[in-house]
Amino acid sequence: MREEASHEKQNNGSRYIISSDLWYIFNTLNRSWRPFTKDDEYLASEISAYLSAFAKKGNPNSSSLPAWNPYKPNEKYIQVFDVSNRMEDE
């Protein structure tokens, strides 16, 4: 029988944690009980940088991030947050 990880015990046995995206959005992985990898840290840094730029300028783009193009009816691209951020066709 598999032993439950600590985050599963604290989350009533569920492997999915509601609102776990907030740790990435606010780049606060270090405040979580869950184990994270360097990829998680990179992803949290990228997500929070986009959102910070958007809050400051109304535009998520900055010179240090890959371009995030606006979604248009004839150009249906979405921003994919992964260990390599990129735009993909919908």
Side-chain angles (χ1 to χ4, degrees):
M1 186 169 160
R2 182 176 79 78
E3 183 178 336
E4 286 184 320
S6 62
H7 68 274
E8 292 174 328
K9 291 176 185 174
Q10 294 180 23
N11 201 42
N12 298 323
S14 174
R15 298 188 76 175
Y16 304 99
I17 300 174
I18 295 171
S19 75
S20 63
D21 58 326
L22 297 177
W23 293 319
Y24 290 88
I25 290 169
F26 295 109
N27 199 7
T28 55
L29 300 180
N30 62 335
R31 297 181 184 178
S32 171
W33 68 90
R34 295 183 63 203
F36 291 103
T37 66
K38 292 289 183 193
D39 288 342
D40 290 302
E41 292 170 11
Y42 170 79
L43 185 58
S45 176
E46 292 285 296
I47 291 171
S48 65
Y50 276 112
L51 293 176
S52 178
F54 182 74
K56 290 176 187 174
K57 306 180 300 183
N59 181 339
N61 292 303
S62 76
S63 60
S64 64
L65 297 168
W68 185 335
N69 299 327
Y71 185 91
K72 299 175 184 174
N74 58 335
E75 297 175 10
K76 298 180 180 182
Y77 290 102
I78 55 172
Q79 184 70 18
V80 176
F81 289 102
D82 200 348
V83 292
S84 62
N85 295 334
R86 62 194 177 279
M87 296 292 299
E88 287 187 359
D89 193 357
E90 184 181 57

